[in-house]
């Protein structure tokens, strides 16, 4: 492989706002004195205002970044004549700086597949160029791509589509999620690129275990400097690197080794810098809690995998007791909030796996359902209604209807 000396910059949003001006300027400072910079318009190529978006990009760079930006217009492989496409590819081959931004990630993927564009972008990075992928475009660069519009607007089932996976060429096995901390929903959860926490957890469960999530807060840039072998976080927010065994949050201004993000260097959760959860461990009692919580969650997941209902129920009960003990012993409300998120994640994992129990062992499924309803009843008696409701919703997602009668709770299929 050629020398990895270029830069890949991933932006959660705000590529044409004041928050990213200094980031763009810093990226240009490492390029030749008269850099050849292009805006690739494919993600928004289907939109009626695609040319207006491109013009906005050109004006933004001229006014705020004081750099010339030329539009490399490839709105779609069936919308550009062959001769014109060849000219566009030639422009991109000579680019020092390529910016790709808003639009639809899945549309962009369909247009780029079976074209030279992914290979050209890899070539430019290898030869010292800078690729900036923001919002929709950032979604396309990883191993898989989140079909945001199809799920959030159209209502399709949760799924992933293959990305162009430029990141894999440079040693990253990641899925990129911009708008990580989005709050536009106000009355409903739109974090994680409008998916919300429940759907995000289910989506992550669909990924292979070795694939990580790179979450980009809005108005935040994650600069992967392949030449210096370092990652720098710029902008207003942070960047989350998450695997099934743990996660780490990198704050703005932080600079870390590129190896933390790359495939061959990641052997265990310790390689994430010792962070098992996004909350910071501040004292020995919280450290003990983190260790116990991780052990219980691992036991729970093993119980799910091996269809052992007693381990699943026992782990849920044990974790619930741990949360209440933590509520009494620890002062950190943030830490307790993280604990409850973990408990909710366990419930969601259970809901997502009940269908597998049905297929593998109807007897085990009936036993598990009975145990869960008993656990729900116990929570209701203790007025722990949030936990009881989480169990009911998990069963409903698996196609189990829970009915409360005078004789007690009973369950049935629709």
């Amino acid at each position: 492989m050629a020398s990895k000396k270029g830069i890949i910059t991933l932006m959660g949003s705000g590529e044409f706002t004041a928050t990213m001006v200094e980031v763009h300027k810093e990226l240009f400072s490492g390029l030749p004195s008269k850099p050849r910079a292009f805006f690739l318009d494919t993600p928004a190529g289907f939109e009626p205002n695609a040319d207006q978006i491109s013009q906005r990009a050109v004006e933004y760079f001229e006014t705020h970044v004081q750099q010339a930006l030329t539009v490399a217009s490839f709105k779609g492989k069936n919308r550009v004549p062959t001769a014109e496409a060849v000219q566009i590819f030639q422009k991109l081959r000579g680019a020092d700086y390529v910016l790709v931004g808003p639009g639809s990630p899945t549309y962009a993927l369909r247009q780029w597949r079976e074209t030279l564009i992914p290979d050209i972008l890899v070539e430019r990075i290898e030869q010292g160029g800078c690729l900036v992928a923001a919002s929709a475009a950032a979604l396309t660069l990883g191993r898989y791509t989140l079909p945001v519009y199809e799920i959030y607007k159209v209502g399709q089932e949760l799924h992933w589509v293959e990305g162009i996976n430029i990141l894999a060429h440079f040693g990253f096995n990641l899925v990129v999620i911009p708008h990580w901390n989005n709050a536009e929903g106000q009355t409903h959860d739109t974090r994680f690129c409008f998916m919300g926490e429940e759907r995000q957890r289910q989506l992550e469960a669909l990924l292979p275990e070795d694939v990580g999530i790179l979450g980009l807060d809005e108005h935040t840039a994650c600069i992967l400097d392949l030449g210096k072998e370092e990652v720098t976080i710029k902008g207003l927010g942070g960047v989350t690197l998450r695997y099934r065994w743990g996660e780490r949050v990198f704050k703005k201004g932080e600079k870390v080794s590129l190896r933390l993000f790359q495939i061959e260097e990641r052997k265990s959760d310790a390689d994430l810098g010792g962070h098992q959860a996004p909350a910071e461990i501040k004292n020995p009692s919280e450290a003990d809690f983190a260790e116990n919580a991780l052990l219980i969650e691992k036991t729970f997941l093993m119980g799910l995998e091996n269809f052992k209902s007693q381990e699943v129920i026992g782990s849920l009960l044990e974790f619930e007791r741990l949360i209440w003990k933590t509520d009494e012993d620890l002062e950190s409300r943030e830490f307790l909030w993280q604990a409850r998120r973990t408990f909710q994640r366990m419930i969601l994992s259970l809901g997502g796996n009940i269908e597998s129990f049905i297929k593998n062992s109807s007897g085990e499924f009936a036993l598990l359902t009975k145990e869960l309803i008993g656990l729900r009843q116990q929570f209701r008696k203790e007025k722990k209604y949030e936990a009881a409701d989480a169990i009911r919703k998990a069963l409903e997602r698996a196609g189990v209807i829970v009915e409360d009668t005078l004789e007690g709770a009973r369950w049935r299929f629709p």
Side-chain angles (χ1 to χ4, degrees), residues 115-315:
T115 74
L116 296 175
I117 287 178
D119 290 337
I120 291 172
L121 295 177
V122 168
E123 176 186 294
R124 295 315 306 146
I125 297 165
E126 285 186 338
Q127 296 179 8
C130 178
L131 172 64
V132 179
S135 53
L139 283 157
T140 68
L141 296 194
R143 182 167 169 184
Y144 299 100
T145 293
L146 176 65
V148 180
Y149 292 117
E150 290 84 346
I151 294 173
Y152 185 62
K153 294 292 187 180
V154 182
Q156 291 184 7
E157 295 297 319
L158 300 182
H159 67 287
W160 298 93
V161 298
E162 294 284 340
I164 56 174
N165 211 7
I166 285 177
L167 292 176
H169 192 87
F170 299 95
F172 305 99
N173 192 19
L174 297 170
V175 166
V176 181
I177 306 292
H179 302 284
W180 189 255
N181 63 340
N182 181 272
E184 291 179 22
Q186 297 183 0
T187 59
H188 65 284
D189 188 0
T190 52
R191 291 172 298 160
F192 317 118
C193 203
F194 307 98
M195 293 298 101
E197 183 172 14
E198 180 178 330
R199 286 189 293 194
Q200 176 63 21
R201 291 297 182 185
Q202 294 178 51
L203 282 162
E204 289 183 30
L206 298 176
L207 293 172
E209 289 190 6
D210 62 333
V211 177
I213 298 284
L214 185 63
L216 307 169
D217 283 354
E218 295 185 330
H219 296 276
T220 302
C222 179
I223 304 172
L224 307 172
D225 192 321
L226 303 163
K228 295 180 179 178
E229 297 188 349
E230 64 184 22
V231 178
T232 305
I233 312 303
K234 298 279 189 178
L236 300 183
V239 170
T240 300
L241 182 61
R242 175 185 289 177
Y243 290 89
R244 293 192 184 182
W245 59 82
E247 71 177 39
R248 179 169 175 181
V249 178
F250 303 92
K251 300 178 180 179
K252 63 179 180 180
E254 201 167 346
K255 186 174 292 186
V256 297
S257 171
L258 193 73
R259 293 194 297 273
L260 284 174
F261 292 73
Q262 289 179 312
I263 299 168
E264 62 272 19
E265 298 295 335
R266 220 167 32 244
K267 303 287 193 301
S268 69
D269 49 11
D271 291 325
L272 287 177
H275 293 250
Q276 300 300 328
E280 296 180 4
I281 298 175
K282 299 179 180 178
N283 59 54
S285 59
E286 290 185 353
D288 292 340
F289 172 84
E291 182 178 354
N292 290 333
L294 183 62
L295 179 61
I296 294 171
E297 188 175 15
K298 284 184 176 180
T299 303
F300 169 81
L301 293 173
M302 288 178 64
L304 280 182
E305 183 177 351
N306 297 312
F307 303 104
K308 294 184 178 180
S309 60
Q310 293 301 321
E311 288 186 13
V312 172
I313 297 298
S315 298

Side-chain angles (χ1 to χ4, degrees), residues 45-63:
F46 67 99
E47 298 183 23
N49 65 335
D51 290 334
Q52 294 175 10
I53 294 173
S54 298
Q55 186 58 34
R56 178 187 173 196
V58 170
E59 292 174 355
Y60 170 84
F61 270 75
E62 180 181 356
T63 303

Side-chain angles (χ1 to χ4, degrees), residues 180 189 191-192 197 201 242 247 249 277-280 286 289 319 323 326-327 330-345 386:
W180 189 255
D189 188 0
R191 291 172 298 160
F192 317 118
E197 183 172 14
R201 291 297 182 185
R242 175 185 289 177
E247 71 177 39
V249 178
E280 296 180 4
E286 290 185 353
F289 172 84
F319 202 95
I323 289 176
T326 303
D327 194 12
L330 300 182
E331 296 180 357
S332 173
R333 309 308 300 171
E334 172 68 14
F335 201 85
L336 183 61
W337 180 75
Q338 295 292 344
R340 285 176 171 153
R341 282 188 61 192
T342 301
F343 184 66
Q344 290 169 0
R345 183 167 71 245
E386 183 179 353

